[in-house]
Amino acid sequence: MTAFGLPDAVERQRAYAKALRLSTVYTPQVVIDGQDDFVGSDVKSIGRALTGNRNGVAVELSVRDGEVFIDLDAQKAAPSDVLLVAYLRTAVSPIGRGENAGRTLKEFNIVRGFHSLGRWTGQRQQYHAPVDSLPRDSTDVAVLVQPLGQAPIIGAATIALR
């Protein structure tokens, strides 16, 4: 596991590998619509996969008074989990061993924690999470709305914490 490895992230990545029928997991990995995976540096393929209309759940985020507020409007949708993903926008890590020893690695969007905010069943609903409940090194959060199981994400948004 890397310096930033999280058991929850590894578990989620393994669940995607199973759903995608992959024999291994890898990093950086991009999963789109719960059905396609790409190496994070394959910008052209990722761009092609993201073209087209996406009808999803609107997720509104705000940060005020030391809390992250998440608003979901009423919309017909399958029962879904609402997940708050705290992440560190960027970090530089020294490489201590191997052929790259002595160099540094610049990393981006490093997941620092997952928090389940609860279940959403299509009604207008607000969730909130205290900023001080998140890992101290988190700079941003993403909120994911995902039907139960490892289904395609139907709503997402990000916001800086500071």
Side-chain angles (χ1 to χ4, degrees):
M1 193 179 302
T2 69
F4 294 113
L6 291 177
D8 288 344
V10 171
E11 183 179 318
R12 192 166 170 81
Q13 195 173 24
R14 285 185 179 143
Y16 271 119
K18 184 177 179 182
L20 294 167
R21 295 183 175 95
L22 300 173
S23 59
T24 62
V25 296
Y26 58 91
T27 301
Q29 181 180 24
V30 175
V31 177
I32 298 176
D33 292 336
Q35 301 168 357
D36 299 307
D37 73 299
F38 304 93
V39 174
S41 60
D42 190 355
V43 177
K44 286 184 182 181
S45 294
I46 293 168
R48 278 193 302 273
L50 290 172
T51 60
N53 249 350
R54 288 200 149 47
N55 296 323
V57 174
V59 179
E60 292 184 37
L61 301 179
S62 61
V63 178
R64 62 183 185 280
D65 302 324
E67 292 203 76
V68 179
F69 291 90
I70 302 96
D71 289 293
L72 300 177
D73 281 334
Q75 184 172 337
K76 185 177 171 93
S80 300
D81 289 321
V82 180
L83 303 169
L84 181 78
V85 182
Y87 65 97
L88 174 61
R89 196 173 305 130
T90 186
V92 177
S93 302
I95 301 172
R97 299 184 312 226
E99 63 186 40
N100 291 317
R103 294 184 180 184
T104 58
L105 176 65
K106 190 165 185 180
E107 301 176 76
F108 300 92
N109 301 329
I110 305 154
V111 174
R112 303 305 299 134
F114 286 96
H115 299 276
S116 174
L117 298 175
R119 184 84 24 102
W120 180 68
T121 57
Q123 291 87 13
R124 179 171 174 70
Q125 194 161 348
Q126 184 177 77
Y127 302 85
H128 61 93
V131 171
D132 65 8
S133 71
L134 304 173
R136 295 178 62 94
D137 61 350
S138 302
T139 57
D140 300 73
V141 294
V143 172
L144 310 176
V145 180
Q146 185 172 31
L148 305 181
Q150 208 69 14
I153 292 169
I154 59 173
T158 63
I159 193 167
L161 293 173
R162 299 167 227 349

